[in-house]
PDB file of all heavy atoms in Angstrom:
ATOM      1  N   VAL A   1     -73.620 130.502 117.027  1.00 98.00           N
ATOM      2  CA  VAL A   1     -72.398 129.952 117.599  1.00 98.00           C
ATOM      3  C   VAL A   1     -71.217 130.256 116.672  1.00 98.00           C
ATOM      4  O   VAL A   1     -71.320 130.154 115.456  1.00 98.00           O
ATOM      5  CB  VAL A   1     -72.541 128.428 117.805  1.00 98.00           C
ATOM      6  CG1 VAL A   1     -71.207 127.790 118.127  1.00 98.00           C
ATOM      7  CG2 VAL A   1     -73.543 128.141 118.920  1.00 98.00           C
ATOM      8  N   THR A   2     -70.094 130.621 117.281  1.00 98.00           N
ATOM      9  CA  THR A   2     -68.844 130.845 116.552  1.00 98.00           C
ATOM     10  C   THR A   2     -67.822 129.788 116.981  1.00 98.00           C
ATOM     11  O   THR A   2     -68.017 129.086 117.978  1.00 98.00           O
ATOM     12  CB  THR A   2     -68.286 132.241 116.855  1.00 98.00           C
ATOM     13  OG1 THR A   2     -68.297 132.448 118.280  1.00 98.00           O
ATOM     14  CG2 THR A   2     -69.144 133.320 116.207  1.00 98.00           C
ATOM     15  N   LEU A   3     -66.732 129.673 116.248  1.00 98.00           N
ATOM     16  CA  LEU A   3     -65.711 128.694 116.607  1.00 98.00           C
ATOM     17  C   LEU A   3     -65.122 128.987 117.979  1.00 98.00           C
ATOM     18  O   LEU A   3     -64.945 128.095 118.810  1.00 98.00           O
ATOM     19  CB  LEU A   3     -64.594 128.694 115.557  1.00 98.00           C
ATOM     20  CG  LEU A   3     -64.962 128.104 114.194  1.00 98.00           C
ATOM     21  CD1 LEU A   3     -63.880 128.421 113.170  1.00 98.00           C
ATOM     22  CD2 LEU A   3     -65.164 126.590 114.302  1.00 98.00           C
ATOM     23  N   LEU A   4     -64.822 130.276 118.212  1.00 98.00           N
ATOM     24  CA  LEU A   4     -64.263 130.722 119.482  1.00 98.00           C
ATOM     25  C   LEU A   4     -65.191 131.765 120.081  1.00 98.00           C
ATOM     26  O   LEU A   4     -66.076 132.282 119.400  1.00 98.00           O
ATOM     27  CB  LEU A   4     -62.863 131.317 119.269  1.00 98.00           C
ATOM     28  CG  LEU A   4     -61.843 130.438 118.541  1.00 98.00           C
ATOM     29  CD1 LEU A   4     -60.538 131.202 118.344  1.00 98.00           C
ATOM     30  CD2 LEU A   4     -61.588 129.142 119.309  1.00 98.00           C
ATOM     31  N   THR A   5     -64.981 132.084 121.355  1.00 97.00           N
ATOM     32  CA  THR A   5     -65.830 133.101 121.977  1.00 97.00           C
ATOM     33  C   THR A   5     -65.115 133.727 123.161  1.00 97.00           C
ATOM     34  O   THR A   5     -64.005 133.327 123.536  1.00 97.00           O
ATOM     35  CB  THR A   5     -67.170 132.497 122.440  1.00 97.00           C
ATOM     36  OG1 THR A   5     -68.070 133.558 122.793  1.00 97.00           O
ATOM     37  CG2 THR A   5     -66.989 131.564 123.628  1.00 97.00           C
ATOM     38  N   TYR A   6     -65.757 134.745 123.740  1.00 95.00           N
ATOM     39  CA  TYR A   6     -65.316 135.345 124.995  1.00 95.00           C
ATOM     40  C   TYR A   6     -66.345 134.974 126.059  1.00 95.00           C
ATOM     41  O   TYR A   6     -67.504 135.368 125.964  1.00 95.00           O
ATOM     42  CB  TYR A   6     -65.255 136.875 124.879  1.00 95.00           C
ATOM     43  CG  TYR A   6     -64.349 137.379 123.782  1.00 95.00           C
ATOM     44  CD1 TYR A   6     -64.878 137.835 122.574  1.00 95.00           C
ATOM     45  CD2 TYR A   6     -62.968 137.418 123.954  1.00 95.00           C
ATOM     46  CE1 TYR A   6     -64.049 138.310 121.568  1.00 95.00           C
ATOM     47  CE2 TYR A   6     -62.135 137.887 122.953  1.00 95.00           C
ATOM     48  CZ  TYR A   6     -62.684 138.336 121.761  1.00 95.00           C
ATOM     49  OH  TYR A   6     -61.871 138.802 120.771  1.00 95.00           O
ATOM     50  N   LYS A   7     -65.931 134.216 127.045  1.00 91.00           N
ATOM     51  CA  LYS A   7     -66.862 133.823 128.117  1.00 91.00           C
ATOM     52  C   LYS A   7     -66.862 134.880 129.212  1.00 91.00           C
ATOM     53  O   LYS A   7     -67.835 135.586 129.415  1.00 91.00           O
ATOM     54  CB  LYS A   7     -66.496 132.446 128.662  1.00 91.00           C
ATOM     55  CG  LYS A   7     -66.790 131.318 127.678  1.00 91.00           C
ATOM     56  CD  LYS A   7     -66.507 129.958 128.292  1.00 91.00           C
ATOM     57  CE  LYS A   7     -66.857 128.838 127.323  1.00 91.00           C
ATOM     58  NZ  LYS A   7     -66.556 127.492 127.881  1.00 91.00           N
ATOM     59  N   THR A   8     -65.783 134.976 129.934  1.00 85.00           N
ATOM     60  CA  THR A   8     -65.642 136.037 130.933  1.00 85.00           C
ATOM     61  C   THR A   8     -64.443 136.883 130.531  1.00 85.00           C
ATOM     62  O   THR A   8     -63.385 136.350 130.202  1.00 85.00           O
ATOM     63  CB  THR A   8     -65.418 135.452 132.335  1.00 85.00           C
ATOM     64  OG1 THR A   8     -64.263 134.601 132.317  1.00 85.00           O
ATOM     65  CG2 THR A   8     -66.618 134.648 132.788  1.00 85.00           C
ATOM     66  N   GLY A   9     -64.614 138.187 130.547  1.00 87.00           N
ATOM     67  CA  GLY A   9     -63.519 139.044 130.125  1.00 87.00           C
ATOM     68  C   GLY A   9     -63.241 138.916 128.638  1.00 87.00           C
ATOM     69  O   GLY A   9     -64.127 138.580 127.851  1.00 87.00           O
ATOM     70  N   THR A  10     -61.992 139.158 128.269  1.00 89.00           N
ATOM     71  CA  THR A  10     -61.643 139.155 126.842  1.00 89.00           C
ATOM     72  C   THR A  10     -60.636 138.060 126.497  1.00 89.00           C
ATOM     73  O   THR A  10     -59.927 138.156 125.501  1.00 89.00           O
ATOM     74  CB  THR A  10     -61.070 140.524 126.432  1.00 89.00           C
ATOM     75  OG1 THR A  10     -59.974 140.863 127.307  1.00 89.00           O
ATOM     76  CG2 THR A  10     -62.136 141.599 126.527  1.00 89.00           C
ATOM     77  N   ALA A  11     -60.585 137.013 127.326  1.00 91.00           N
ATOM     78  CA  ALA A  11     -59.757 135.853 127.003  1.00 91.00           C
ATOM     79  C   ALA A  11     -60.551 134.920 126.085  1.00 91.00           C
ATOM     80  O   ALA A  11     -61.714 134.622 126.344  1.00 91.00           O
ATOM     81  CB  ALA A  11     -59.349 135.120 128.272  1.00 91.00           C
ATOM     82  N   LEU A  12     -59.932 134.485 124.997  1.00 96.00           N
ATOM     83  CA  LEU A  12     -60.603 133.614 124.042  1.00 96.00           C
ATOM     84  C   LEU A  12     -60.767 132.199 124.593  1.00 96.00           C
ATOM     85  O   LEU A  12     -59.897 131.687 125.292  1.00 96.00           O
ATOM     86  CB  LEU A  12     -59.814 133.564 122.734  1.00 96.00           C
ATOM     87  CG  LEU A  12     -59.884 134.819 121.865  1.00 96.00           C
ATOM     88  CD1 LEU A  12     -58.820 134.778 120.780  1.00 96.00           C
ATOM     89  CD2 LEU A  12     -61.263 134.953 121.240  1.00 96.00           C
ATOM     90  N   SER A  13     -61.907 131.580 124.241  1.00 97.00           N
ATOM     91  CA  SER A  13     -62.190 130.196 124.623  1.00 97.00           C
ATOM     92  C   SER A  13     -62.812 129.485 123.434  1.00 97.00           C
ATOM     93  O   SER A  13     -63.474 130.117 122.600  1.00 97.00           O
ATOM     94  CB  SER A  13     -63.172 130.138 125.797  1.00 97.00           C
ATOM     95  OG  SER A  13     -62.690 130.831 126.916  1.00 97.00           O
ATOM     96  N   PRO A  14     -62.655 128.170 123.317  1.00 98.00           N
ATOM     97  CA  PRO A  14     -63.332 127.441 122.240  1.00 98.00           C
ATOM     98  C   PRO A  14     -64.831 127.386 122.481  1.00 98.00           C
ATOM     99  O   PRO A  14     -65.281 127.357 123.634  1.00 98.00           O
ATOM    100  CB  PRO A  14     -62.701 126.047 122.301  1.00 98.00           C
ATOM    101  CG  PRO A  14     -62.178 125.916 123.691  1.00 98.00           C
ATOM    102  CD  PRO A  14     -61.791 127.294 124.121  1.00 98.00           C
ATOM    103  N   TRP A  15     -65.609 127.375 121.414  1.00 98.00           N
ATOM    104  CA  TRP A  15     -67.067 127.268 121.525  1.00 98.00           C
ATOM    105  C   TRP A  15     -67.535 126.136 120.614  1.00 98.00           C
ATOM    106  O   TRP A  15     -67.667 125.005 121.056  1.00 98.00           O
ATOM    107  CB  TRP A  15     -67.735 128.592 121.189  1.00 98.00           C
ATOM    108  CG  TRP A  15     -69.164 128.701 121.656  1.00 98.00           C
ATOM    109  CD1 TRP A  15     -69.853 127.800 122.413  1.00 98.00           C
ATOM    110  CD2 TRP A  15     -70.068 129.783 121.411  1.00 98.00           C
ATOM    111  NE1 TRP A  15     -71.125 128.246 122.666  1.00 98.00           N
ATOM    112  CE2 TRP A  15     -71.284 129.464 122.061  1.00 98.00           C
ATOM    113  CE3 TRP A  15     -69.977 130.986 120.719  1.00 98.00           C
ATOM    114  CZ2 TRP A  15     -72.410 130.304 122.015  1.00 98.00           C
ATOM    115  CZ3 TRP A  15     -71.076 131.835 120.682  1.00 98.00           C
ATOM    116  CH2 TRP A  15     -72.284 131.490 121.329  1.00 98.00           C
ATOM    117  N   ALA A  16     -67.716 126.407 119.343  1.00 98.00           N
ATOM    118  CA  ALA A  16     -68.043 125.301 118.435  1.00 98.00           C
ATOM    119  C   ALA A  16     -66.815 124.448 118.159  1.00 98.00           C
ATOM    120  O   ALA A  16     -66.921 123.269 117.812  1.00 98.00           O
ATOM    121  CB  ALA A  16     -68.610 125.846 117.125  1.00 98.00           C
ATOM    122  N   ALA A  17     -65.636 125.041 118.303  1.00 98.00           N
ATOM    123  CA  ALA A  17     -64.389 124.293 118.115  1.00 98.00           C
ATOM    124  C   ALA A  17     -64.115 123.438 119.350  1.00 98.00           C
ATOM    125  O   ALA A  17     -64.499 123.785 120.469  1.00 98.00           O
ATOM    126  CB  ALA A  17     -63.233 125.254 117.873  1.00 98.00           C
ATOM    127  N   THR A  18     -63.460 122.321 119.145  1.00 98.00           N
ATOM    128  CA  THR A  18     -63.148 121.427 120.264  1.00 98.00           C
ATOM    129  C   THR A  18     -62.043 121.992 121.145  1.00 98.00           C
ATOM    130  O   THR A  18     -61.937 121.648 122.317  1.00 98.00           O
ATOM    131  CB  THR A  18     -62.720 120.041 119.754  1.00 98.00           C
ATOM    132  OG1 THR A  18     -61.576 120.204 118.888  1.00 98.00           O
ATOM    133  CG2 THR A  18     -63.842 119.374 118.977  1.00 98.00           C
ATOM    134  N   ASP A  19     -61.180 122.841 120.553  1.00 98.00           N
ATOM    135  CA  ASP A  19     -60.099 123.472 121.303  1.00 98.00           C
ATOM    136  C   ASP A  19     -59.713 124.764 120.592  1.00 98.00           C
ATOM    137  O   ASP A  19     -60.446 125.222 119.704  1.00 98.00           O
ATOM    138  CB  ASP A  19     -58.894 122.523 121.443  1.00 98.00           C
ATOM    139  CG  ASP A  19     -58.420 121.972 120.095  1.00 98.00           C
ATOM    140  OD1 ASP A  19     -58.510 122.704 119.073  1.00 98.00           O
ATOM    141  OD2 ASP A  19     -57.954 120.818 120.049  1.00 98.00           O
ATOM    142  N   MET A  20     -58.600 125.357 120.948  1.00 97.00           N
ATOM    143  CA  MET A  20     -58.191 126.632 120.371  1.00 97.00           C
ATOM    144  C   MET A  20     -57.571 126.483 118.993  1.00 97.00           C
ATOM    145  O   MET A  20     -57.148 127.471 118.388  1.00 97.00           O
ATOM    146  CB  MET A  20     -57.213 127.337 121.312  1.00 97.00           C
ATOM    147  CG  MET A  20     -57.864 127.841 122.599  1.00 97.00           C
ATOM    148  SD  MET A  20     -59.166 129.082 122.269  1.00 97.00           S
ATOM    149  CE  MET A  20     -58.192 130.410 121.581  1.00 97.00           C
ATOM    150  N   GLY A  21     -57.529 125.267 118.476  1.00 97.00           N
ATOM    151  CA  GLY A  21     -57.029 125.043 117.138  1.00 97.00           C
ATOM    152  C   GLY A  21     -55.516 124.993 117.055  1.00 97.00           C
ATOM    153  O   GLY A  21     -54.812 125.183 118.047  1.00 97.00           O
ATOM    154  N   LYS A  22     -55.032 124.728 115.846  1.00 97.00           N
ATOM    155  CA  LYS A  22     -53.591 124.645 115.605  1.00 97.00           C
ATOM    156  C   LYS A  22     -53.169 125.776 114.668  1.00 97.00           C
ATOM    157  O   LYS A  22     -53.814 126.024 113.652  1.00 97.00           O
ATOM    158  CB  LYS A  22     -53.235 123.290 114.982  1.00 97.00           C
ATOM    159  CG  LYS A  22     -53.541 122.095 115.884  1.00 97.00           C
ATOM    160  CD  LYS A  22     -53.212 120.782 115.196  1.00 97.00           C
ATOM    161  CE  LYS A  22     -53.545 119.598 116.102  1.00 97.00           C
ATOM    162  NZ  LYS A  22     -53.275 118.304 115.413  1.00 97.00           N
ATOM    163  N   THR A  23     -52.094 126.444 115.045  1.00 96.00           N
ATOM    164  CA  THR A  23     -51.575 127.549 114.243  1.00 96.00           C
ATOM    165  C   THR A  23     -50.211 127.163 113.707  1.00 96.00           C
ATOM    166  O   THR A  23     -49.359 126.651 114.451  1.00 96.00           O
ATOM    167  CB  THR A  23     -51.440 128.833 115.088  1.00 96.00           C
ATOM    168  OG1 THR A  23     -52.689 129.113 115.715  1.00 96.00           O
ATOM    169  CG2 THR A  23     -51.020 130.011 114.218  1.00 96.00           C
ATOM    170  N   SER A  24     -49.985 127.386 112.426  1.00 96.00           N
ATOM    171  CA  SER A  24     -48.704 127.043 111.810  1.00 96.00           C
ATOM    172  C   SER A  24     -47.595 127.940 112.340  1.00 96.00           C
ATOM    173  O   SER A  24     -47.851 129.028 112.876  1.00 96.00           O
ATOM    174  CB  SER A  24     -48.791 127.178 110.288  1.00 96.00           C
ATOM    175  OG  SER A  24     -49.061 128.520 109.919  1.00 96.00           O
ATOM    176  N   ALA A  25     -46.364 127.503 112.183  1.00 95.00           N
ATOM    177  CA  ALA A  25     -45.214 128.242 112.697  1.00 95.00           C
ATOM    178  C   ALA A  25     -45.098 129.629 112.076  1.00 95.00           C
ATOM    179  O   ALA A  25     -44.644 130.579 112.724  1.00 95.00           O
ATOM    180  CB  ALA A  25     -43.931 127.442 112.448  1.00 95.00           C
ATOM    181  N   ASP A  26     -45.539 129.775 110.821  1.00 94.00           N
ATOM    182  CA  ASP A  26     -45.434 131.076 110.153  1.00 94.00           C
ATOM    183  C   ASP A  26     -46.633 131.982 110.432  1.00 94.00           C
ATOM    184  O   ASP A  26     -46.705 133.113 109.943  1.00 94.00           O
ATOM    185  CB  ASP A  26     -45.242 130.914 108.638  1.00 94.00           C
ATOM    186  CG  ASP A  26     -46.423 130.223 107.958  1.00 94.00           C
ATOM    187  OD1 ASP A  26     -47.432 129.922 108.632  1.00 94.00           O
ATOM    188  OD2 ASP A  26     -46.327 129.985 106.733  1.00 94.00           O
ATOM    189  N   GLY A  27     -47.590 131.486 111.241  1.00 93.00           N
ATOM    190  CA  GLY A  27     -48.735 132.305 111.626  1.00 93.00           C
ATOM    191  C   GLY A  27     -49.729 132.557 110.516  1.00 93.00           C
ATOM    192  O   GLY A  27     -50.568 133.461 110.641  1.00 93.00           O
ATOM    193  N   LYS A  28     -49.705 131.736 109.486  1.00 96.00           N
ATOM    194  CA  LYS A  28     -50.594 131.982 108.344  1.00 96.00           C
ATOM    195  C   LYS A  28     -51.631 130.893 108.117  1.00 96.00           C
ATOM    196  O   LYS A  28     -52.493 131.028 107.245  1.00 96.00           O
ATOM    197  CB  LYS A  28     -49.764 132.174 107.069  1.00 96.00           C
ATOM    198  CG  LYS A  28     -48.892 133.427 107.094  1.00 96.00           C
ATOM    199  CD  LYS A  28     -48.344 133.788 105.721  1.00 96.00           C
ATOM    200  CE  LYS A  28     -47.334 132.799 105.230  1.00 96.00           C
ATOM    201  NZ  LYS A  28     -46.721 133.243 103.942  1.00 96.00           N
ATOM    202  N   THR A  29     -51.579 129.818 108.899  1.00 98.00           N
ATOM    203  CA  THR A  29     -52.542 128.725 108.727  1.00 98.00           C
ATOM    204  C   THR A  29     -53.146 128.344 110.082  1.00 98.00           C
ATOM    205  O   THR A  29     -52.416 128.109 111.049  1.00 98.00           O
ATOM    206  CB  THR A  29     -51.880 127.489 108.090  1.00 98.00           C
ATOM    207  OG1 THR A  29     -51.315 127.850 106.824  1.00 98.00           O
ATOM    208  CG2 THR A  29     -52.913 126.390 107.866  1.00 98.00           C
ATOM    209  N   TYR A  30     -54.476 128.288 110.125  1.00 98.00           N
ATOM    210  CA  TYR A  30     -55.198 127.946 111.342  1.00 98.00           C
ATOM    211  C   TYR A  30     -56.130 126.773 111.034  1.00 98.00           C
ATOM    212  O   TYR A  30     -56.884 126.825 110.060  1.00 98.00           O
ATOM    213  CB  TYR A  30     -56.037 129.123 111.842  1.00 98.00           C
ATOM    214  CG  TYR A  30     -55.224 130.334 112.256  1.00 98.00           C
ATOM    215  CD1 TYR A  30     -54.758 131.236 111.302  1.00 98.00           C
ATOM    216  CD2 TYR A  30     -54.933 130.568 113.590  1.00 98.00           C
ATOM    217  CE1 TYR A  30     -54.016 132.363 111.678  1.00 98.00           C
ATOM    218  CE2 TYR A  30     -54.198 131.679 113.984  1.00 98.00           C
ATOM    219  CZ  TYR A  30     -53.741 132.568 113.009  1.00 98.00           C
ATOM    220  OH  TYR A  30     -53.016 133.669 113.386  1.00 98.00           O
ATOM    221  N   THR A  31     -56.089 125.746 111.878  1.00 98.00           N
ATOM    222  CA  THR A  31     -56.900 124.557 111.656  1.00 98.00           C
ATOM    223  C   THR A  31     -57.736 124.256 112.900  1.00 98.00           C
ATOM    224  O   THR A  31     -57.214 124.247 114.017  1.00 98.00           O
ATOM    225  CB  THR A  31     -56.014 123.337 111.335  1.00 98.00           C
ATOM    226  OG1 THR A  31     -55.146 123.661 110.243  1.00 98.00           O
ATOM    227  CG2 THR A  31     -56.870 122.139 110.945  1.00 98.00           C
ATOM    228  N   PHE A  32     -59.043 124.015 112.683  1.00 98.00           N
ATOM    229  CA  PHE A  32     -59.959 123.764 113.791  1.00 98.00           C
ATOM    230  C   PHE A  32     -60.780 122.504 113.554  1.00 98.00           C
ATOM    231  O   PHE A  32     -61.221 122.245 112.427  1.00 98.00           O
ATOM    232  CB  PHE A  32     -60.936 124.928 113.974  1.00 98.00           C
ATOM    233  CG  PHE A  32     -60.288 126.208 114.392  1.00 98.00           C
ATOM    234  CD1 PHE A  32     -59.858 127.118 113.436  1.00 98.00           C
ATOM    235  CD2 PHE A  32     -60.101 126.501 115.732  1.00 98.00           C
ATOM    236  CE1 PHE A  32     -59.258 128.310 113.811  1.00 98.00           C
ATOM    237  CE2 PHE A  32     -59.504 127.690 116.119  1.00 98.00           C
ATOM    238  CZ  PHE A  32     -59.074 128.596 115.160  1.00 98.00           C
TER     239      PHE A  32
END
């Protein structure tokens, strides 16, 4: 299991993560 995955097609979906996570405004920090 990974945090995110591809279910159908190439759109990302959460897997082990509860959601798509939070990304900082500067695009350098990701929290899951």
